[in-house]
Amino acid sequence: MKAKTAWITLVLLLVAGLTFFSLPSCDKVKQATQFKVKYKLPDRYFSVDSLSHLKTEQVLFTQSYSANLDSIVGANSGLLGAVSFYQLRLNVVSPDWVTLGWINSARITVTPANGAPVEVATTQAISPSSRSIDFVVKNLDLASNINGPFVLNVYGDLSGPIPSGSIQMLLESGIQVTINPL
């Protein structure tokens, strides 16, 4: 009888151990159930004037935004995971003959109200014949930085003179919110 009880106990411990190791961890279950909500920010048109830039790195664009993440996530508020940018793209709109050959590199920062700037994106090498830049977005959780008013700045490290006249540019951007239902 003692041998039978010992075998039953051993089998139950073995089954419990195998079950414990074969089931996915809580983190894996949490990852499997989370989803992302993408929110496109309004396109921003702006002009760059060749006479106003004399230094190497210049602020090409600055814009104040205000985001209410609870309204973006709607019914899923309270389940907010991470917030990050999924798209940051800079385009030359006009004149047609202008390229981005006058920029060596560029970066984008976000500055929350009463906070320090956080660099959120940078560029790879910019081709002199290119008319657009797709920024490399850093994998940062910006929930505390962009929930409320914030300022987005685009900096350009200039390689030479800006083409004469006014250059019309467009900044396309979007954020993604990760929802954690568990």
Side-chain angles (χ1 to χ4, degrees):
M1 182 74 163
K2 285 185 178 184
K4 189 175 183 181
T5 306
W7 275 105
I8 292 174
T9 304
L10 182 62
V11 169
L12 287 176
L13 285 173
L14 184 61
V15 168
L18 288 174
T19 304
F20 177 75
F21 287 111
S22 67
L23 288 178
S25 69
C26 290
D27 288 339
K28 288 182 182 178
V29 171
K30 189 174 181 179
Q31 269 185 336
T33 59
Q34 65 183 210
F35 59 95
K36 297 179 189 307
V37 176
K38 290 188 175 184
Y39 179 75
K40 185 158 174 31
L41 297 175
D43 289 345
R44 299 295 182 180
Y45 291 89
F46 63 98
S47 61
V48 176
D49 183 7
S50 63
L51 300 176
S52 65
H53 301 301
L54 302 174
K55 297 179 188 173
T56 304
E57 184 176 69
Q58 289 291 315
V59 176
L60 299 176
F61 172 75
T62 186
Q63 178 69 48
S64 296
Y65 290 89
S66 185
N68 181 351
L69 296 177
D70 289 334
S71 69
I72 292 171
V73 297
N76 299 304
S77 64
L79 308 173
L80 182 65
V83 178
S84 60
F85 282 93
Y86 73 90
Q87 177 191 25
L88 288 163
R89 183 182 181 120
L90 186 64
N91 302 296
V92 174
V93 177
S94 67
D96 291 338
W97 56 270
V98 172
T99 65
L100 294 170
W102 47 277
I103 300 177
N104 282 327
S105 62
R107 64 188 180 97
I108 296 179
T109 64
V110 167
T111 307
N114 302 319
V118 176
E119 188 173 88
V120 296
T122 57
T123 59
Q124 303 279 337
I126 299 171
S127 167
S129 62
S130 177
R131 290 183 47 89
S132 66
I133 301 170
D134 285 317
F135 285 86
V136 177
V137 178
K138 294 184 176 185
N139 187 17
L140 300 171
D141 181 6
L142 300 170
S144 62
N145 298 74
I146 64 173
N147 193 10
F150 66 94
V151 175
L152 186 135
N153 287 308
V154 178
Y155 295 90
D157 181 30
L158 308 184
S159 62
I162 298 174
S164 62
S166 183
I167 302 169
Q168 297 300 311
M169 301 193 78
L170 166 66
L171 179 68
E172 298 172 275
S173 58
I175 59 173
Q176 67 184 6
V177 178
T178 303
I179 306 296
N180 294 323
L182 294 179

